[in-house]
Amino acid sequence: MKITRRKVKPSVGAEQVGAALRRAAKVARKTARMYGTPVYVWENGKVVAKKP
């Protein structure tokens, strides 16, 4: 018996969550630039501070 996999289309809610996260990140970078604070991101299994 062979099992076939279907591609699962993300629900409308999931797409909205992704867009909201991108908007929030954009605002966070803008605020960090305004106040000269670093933005912390997860890279290669570590938390890294970056200049915005």
Side-chain angles (χ1 to χ4, degrees):
M1 179 197 264
K2 188 172 184 175
I3 298 173
T4 59
R5 305 242 181 208
R6 296 186 297 148
K7 284 190 177 181
V8 178
K9 184 178 176 186
S11 65
V12 175
E15 291 173 3
Q16 292 172 343
V17 168
L21 284 171
R22 283 189 289 278
R23 281 194 310 270
K26 187 175 183 179
V27 171
R29 286 191 302 270
K30 180 181 175 185
T31 304
R33 264 194 310 273
M34 253 178 8
Y35 293 103
T37 57
V39 175
Y40 293 91
V41 295
W42 187 267
E43 282 187 353
N44 299 324
K46 296 179 183 178
V47 178
V48 179
K50 291 192 165 212
K51 286 187 173 183

